[in-house]
Amino acid sequence: IIKGLVKWFDPVKGFGFVVADRGGSDILLHANVLRNFGQGSVVDGSVIEIAVQDTQRGLQAVEVLSITPPHVD
């Protein structure tokens, strides 16, 4: 389980990236994984908890466990 921040997510392209709190490479976040969580998109800067898998292309989210939108004043 990795906790991190949504760097950016493009609903048109259907993917985005997460930066893990512990550092390392960006983690691919695909729209299908978000849809399984019940969301079609996610706001940039959201705190997200994900289960990841190491693929040939790098780390990829396989399950979203929680999303906390960024705090806006």
Side-chain angles (χ1 to χ4, degrees), residues 43-62:
V43 179
D44 295 355
S46 295
V47 173
I48 191 167
E49 272 188 323
I50 49 178
V52 298
Q53 183 177 16
D54 204 351
T55 70
Q56 289 180 337
R57 294 178 156 189
L59 289 176
Q60 191 168 325
V62 291

Side-chain angles (χ1 to χ4, degrees), residues 8-67:
W8 60 268
F9 186 84
D10 186 333
V12 176
K13 291 181 179 171
F15 71 93
F17 287 94
V18 173
V19 181
D21 285 353
R22 67 181 190 203
S25 304
D26 290 356
I27 302 159
L28 178 67
L29 176 62
H30 203 271
N32 290 339
V33 176
L34 272 177
R35 279 196 281 276
N36 291 340
F37 183 69
Q39 288 192 213
S41 186
V42 63
V43 179
D44 295 355
S46 295
V47 173
I48 191 167
E49 272 188 323
I50 49 178
V52 298
Q53 183 177 16
D54 204 351
T55 70
Q56 289 180 337
R57 294 178 156 189
L59 289 176
Q60 191 168 325
V62 291
E63 185 183 1
V64 174
L65 304 166
S66 72
I67 296 174

